[in-house]
């Protein structure tokens, strides 16, 4: 199995912890590489992992390599990879503001902040199910079929991407957005970008992406 993938996962654990996007023992993150899933082990602090702690499983959940037990949330990682061929990395974490929104069971609408509209779009709340359950795995993977980020009611946040860096940026953006909304709410309430301007923003971003492709 590939040491560089294990090292990337270890690095993301430290970055999440240092950026206050996750507590030591909370969360779990994984990378898909062909027929294997590299995932954090359960019961170890995610800011102090060694690459040898990373567990490798196959799509049936069988342990392929590693001494520890795979994360207890392994089921939703497997289902998401099965449903989203474009996704190769998943981060589930407990950032304080985003988790606060999950406890208030408040989804995030589109059109609140320019950058977030582009990176995240709408962020729904996945109804509460007990951790590690089949029900939770089904609900999470269903929602992630249509979204790159979501809140798990009374639990935390999840983001997916083509790689770990992109998934990390979405978790980071989600936490920032939740902080911004909190401040805006204290200051009198969120005022959204109009539908018309939101459409124009998307058009502008698509044109810019095409230009960058050609460059
Ligand atoms: Zn969790």
């Amino acid at each position: 199995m590939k040491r560089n993938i294990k090292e990337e996962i270890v690095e993301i654990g430290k970055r999440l912890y240092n950026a206050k996007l996750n507590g030591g023992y909370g969360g779990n993150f994984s990378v898909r590489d062909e027929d294997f899933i590299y995932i954090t082990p359960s019961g170890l602090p995610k800011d102090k992992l060694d690459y040898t702690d990373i567990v490798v499983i196959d799509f049936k959940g069988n342990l392929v390599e590693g001494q520890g037990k795979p994360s207890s949330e392994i089921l939703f990682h497997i289902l998401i990879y099965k449903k989203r061929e474009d996704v190769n990395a998943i981060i589930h974490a407990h950032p304080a503001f985003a988790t606060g929104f999950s406890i208030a069971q408040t989804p995030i609408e589109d059109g609140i902040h320019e950058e977030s509209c582009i990176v995240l779009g709408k962020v729904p709340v996945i109804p509460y199910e007990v951790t590690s359950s089949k029900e939770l795995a089904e609900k999470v993977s269903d929602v992630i079929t249509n979204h790159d980020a979501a809140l798990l009611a009374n639990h935390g946040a999840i983001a997916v991407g083509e790689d770990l860096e992109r998934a990390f940026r979405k978790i980071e953006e989600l936490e920032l957005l939740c902080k911004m909304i909190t401040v805006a709410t204290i200051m009198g309430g969120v005022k959204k970008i109009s539908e018309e301007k939101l459409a124009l923003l998307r058009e502008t971003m698509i044109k810019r992406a095409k230009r960058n492709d050609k460059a």
Side-chain angles (χ1 to χ4, degrees):
M1 294 296 125
K2 295 176 183 166
R3 177 170 168 170
N4 65 316
I5 295 178
K6 295 180 179 181
E7 285 174 342
E8 267 177 49
I9 294 174
V10 168
E11 176 67 20
I12 282 293
K14 291 185 187 5
R15 283 173 69 191
L16 285 165
Y17 185 81
N18 291 337
K20 299 200 169 23
L21 293 169
N22 199 37
Y25 283 91
N28 37 72
F29 14 105
S30 71
V31 169
R32 178 226 309 262
D33 184 51
E34 295 176 0
D35 297 332
F36 302 108
I37 298 169
Y38 293 63
I39 189 162
T40 46
S42 72
L44 292 178
K46 309 299 181 301
D47 57 321
K48 294 203 181 328
L49 293 173
D50 183 77
Y51 83 94
T52 54
D53 295 324
I54 305 304
V55 175
V56 184
I57 59 153
D58 65 18
F59 274 79
K60 291 193 175 103
N62 300 316
L63 186 67
V64 176
E65 191 173 87
Q67 312 253 302
K69 263 178 69 180
S71 163
S72 58
E73 299 289 18
I74 185 64
L75 208 51
F76 70 62
H77 290 256
I78 294 175
L79 287 186
I80 289 170
Y81 288 128
K82 280 186 179 169
K83 291 182 185 178
R84 291 276 306 263
E85 279 185 11
D86 58 321
V87 164
N88 291 313
I90 299 167
I91 296 179
H92 160 56
H94 304 162
F97 279 76
T99 304
F101 274 64
S102 89
I103 293 166
Q105 300 188 357
T106 302
I108 300 168
E109 292 172 40
D110 208 357
I112 291 181
H113 177 257
E114 192 182 77
E115 184 73 18
S116 307
C117 295
I118 298 157
V119 178
L120 300 172
K122 284 182 190 169
V123 182
V125 177
I126 300 165
Y128 182 79
E129 291 290 351
V130 173
T131 183
S132 322
S133 66
K134 200 167 137 266
E135 289 77 10
L136 179 67
E138 273 164 10
K139 284 188 180 167
V140 171
S141 60
D142 278 351
V143 168
I144 293 297
T145 305
N146 298 310
H147 297 272
D148 281 358
L151 300 168
L152 280 69
N154 305 81
H155 183 162
I158 185 165
V160 300
E162 293 158 73
D163 53 33
L164 267 181
E165 182 63 28
R166 286 182 175 94
F168 177 86
R169 293 298 172 201
K170 284 171 200 164
I171 285 281
E172 186 183 46
E173 191 62 41
L174 175 59
E175 179 67 351
L176 275 175
L177 178 61
C178 291
K179 286 182 185 172
M180 292 172 199
I181 295 172
T182 304
V183 174
T185 303
I186 293 167
M187 294 185 75
V190 167
K191 295 176 181 67
K192 287 169 58 179
I193 301 169
S194 70
E195 289 294 331
E196 185 198 343
K197 296 288 180 193
L198 197 55
L200 193 59
L201 171 66
R202 292 202 195 291
E203 227 174 87
T204 308
M205 293 316 294
I206 290 167
K207 274 186 200 152
R208 191 182 297 173
K210 279 185 185 157
R211 267 205 307 274
N212 289 344
D213 276 355
K214 282 181 197 152

